[in-house]
Amino acid sequence: MDNNERNRLIEQFLPDVLESLTDYTQMGVDEDELVGEASLILTEVVDEHMKKPEGSLQDKIDAAINERLTAFITESNCLKAADQDLAERLNDLSDAAVSMVEELGRRPSNEELAEKLNLDVDEIERLLKISEEASRQ
């Protein structure tokens, strides 16, 4: 592979790729993350094209950016939603534990927390472990 040619192609197409990101900036992902992912996609498409130079490189780049950035944004937003859900569950657990300490005059058992929050004991233990690990960091 000719690195000079590879770098020239990346430099040639990068401005257009970065310009196309304006279509994706309102989709809930940090712009720096979009730039990084788009740069990675561009580099991979150029590398693939240099190995198998069939068809239009521009068409390959456009298709890959559209398909892979959409997938990246979807995955990122799903992870953010999952993180928010986990944070809410941890807050609910903390609030319930504090409330139950006041009510019972002692620390509640995992079973009591599970009953109060309508969760399985295994889920309470998982949340407690996550909370404990987070507090160590």
Side-chain angles (χ1 to χ4, degrees), residues 13-74:
F13 287 96
L14 185 59
D16 290 338
V17 168
L18 295 178
E19 179 73 25
S20 73
L21 295 182
T22 58
D23 298 336
Y24 299 93
T25 56
Q26 301 302 316
M27 296 182 163
V29 176
D30 181 72
E31 193 171 338
D32 290 339
E33 291 179 29
L34 285 175
V35 169
E37 188 67 18
S39 298
L40 178 64
I41 293 167
L42 172 61
T43 301
E44 290 174 357
V45 171
V46 167
D47 288 346
E48 291 168 15
H49 181 75
M50 290 188 71
K51 291 176 187 171
K52 193 173 182 183
E54 298 170 358
S56 163
L57 177 55
Q58 183 68 58
D59 290 345
K60 291 177 184 178
I61 292 169
D62 291 344
I65 290 290
N66 184 43
E67 179 182 329
R68 291 173 56 187
L69 270 188
T70 301
F72 174 75
I73 289 167
T74 300

